[in-house]
Amino acid sequence: MRFDSVPMPATVEARPRDTRGYPVPAITPWEGGEPRFALTDYDGSAACARERLCSVCGTLMPRGPVWRVVGAAESAAVRDALAAGRPYRNMAPTPEGPGHRACMLYASMVCPYLARPNARRGLGAQTPDDMTAHVVRGAVRGESGAVVGYGDYEFAVTRSQVLFRFLDVVEYLPHDTADQHLPELRAELTRSEARPGGGQPGGGQPR
């Protein structure tokens, strides 16, 4: 489906846009006046980690669960753990930060790489290592993905990168194509609008 037909959280709507009209996430760096969607801005990611800001919209996440979009391998691991009645705790750190539920549902549908199982990354990480080896040009997302809610996150800010670790799965929303999340996104936005002040819980001015 067209990205401009996906309902947008108000905090995402306030983000800067690229020339196509795509909102640019808070952790996306700009080079020469253009966003580099496949890369992660160190300072932006560090601020999101330390200040508990959504990596998509850049506004405050309240204490409690956080969400992220995962690819095939982690989606399968979460699914298998839940099916077996086991707790899931992935101790491997990732450079991909968390966000609001609505923002991650939206991102899963709008980002071409996240939304389709056969999509390939158009750009690679500038300096791939063990943490970012999957962020390479041509990498395929995999057969399925998911939007996953976690009880909380931990982080480490080093001189060269920002890493996150996610604890205690509280919600698992798998997808083959992310437009399956459209009803859930609409329902989440309706709930957000009903909150005092509207918008995301804990939301404020975006970075």
Side-chain angles (χ1 to χ4, degrees):
M1 62 189 303
R2 289 172 52 90
F3 85 89
D4 54 4
S5 68
V6 179
M8 189 181 298
T11 51
V12 174
E13 193 167 2
R15 296 295 309 164
R17 309 291 182 95
D18 72 358
T19 55
R20 302 165 298 172
Y22 274 94
V24 180
I27 60 169
T28 297
W30 292 74
E31 295 180 5
E34 296 292 331
R36 301 278 285 176
F37 286 103
L39 305 179
T40 300
D41 178 71
Y42 174 87
D43 291 333
S45 187
C48 286
R50 291 171 171 146
E51 300 172 35
R52 201 176 177 88
L53 305 178
C54 173
S55 61
V56 176
C57 74
T59 68
L60 183 67
M61 296 183 296
R63 293 293 171 185
V66 297
W67 282 262
R68 61 188 289 254
V69 186
V70 304
E74 187 162 359
S75 178
V78 172
R79 179 197 63 214
D80 293 347
L82 294 177
R86 302 191 315 266
Y88 177 79
R89 183 177 174 124
N90 184 359
M91 300 306 293
T94 173
E96 297 168 350
H100 297 109
R101 187 174 189 269
C103 290
M104 288 298 171
L105 287 167
Y106 175 81
S108 76
M109 299 178 63
V110 169
C111 172
Y113 177 72
L114 296 175
R116 300 191 307 273
N118 61 346
R120 295 177 180 270
R121 287 189 183 272
L123 294 171
Q126 290 176 314
T127 54
D129 57 18
D130 289 344
M131 294 296 105
T132 59
H134 64 292
V135 189
V136 296
R137 184 179 176 88
V140 179
R141 190 205 75 186
E143 293 183 357
S144 62
V147 177
V148 182
Y150 299 87
D152 208 345
Y153 71 95
E154 300 172 338
F155 68 91
V157 179
T158 73
R159 290 184 178 181
S160 60
Q161 59 188 340
V162 182
L163 299 173
F164 298 87
R165 198 160 60 189
F166 295 89
L167 317 172
D168 305 325
V169 172
V170 298
E171 184 175 39
Y172 174 61
L173 300 170
H175 60 257
D176 292 315
T177 57
D179 55 3
Q180 294 170 237
H181 293 319
L182 184 57
E184 196 62 52
L185 174 59
R186 286 175 171 154
E188 180 66 17
L189 293 179
T190 298
R191 286 191 290 270
S192 296
E193 291 170 0
R195 295 185 184 108
Q200 299 281 12
Q205 291 299 313
R207 290 184 60 88

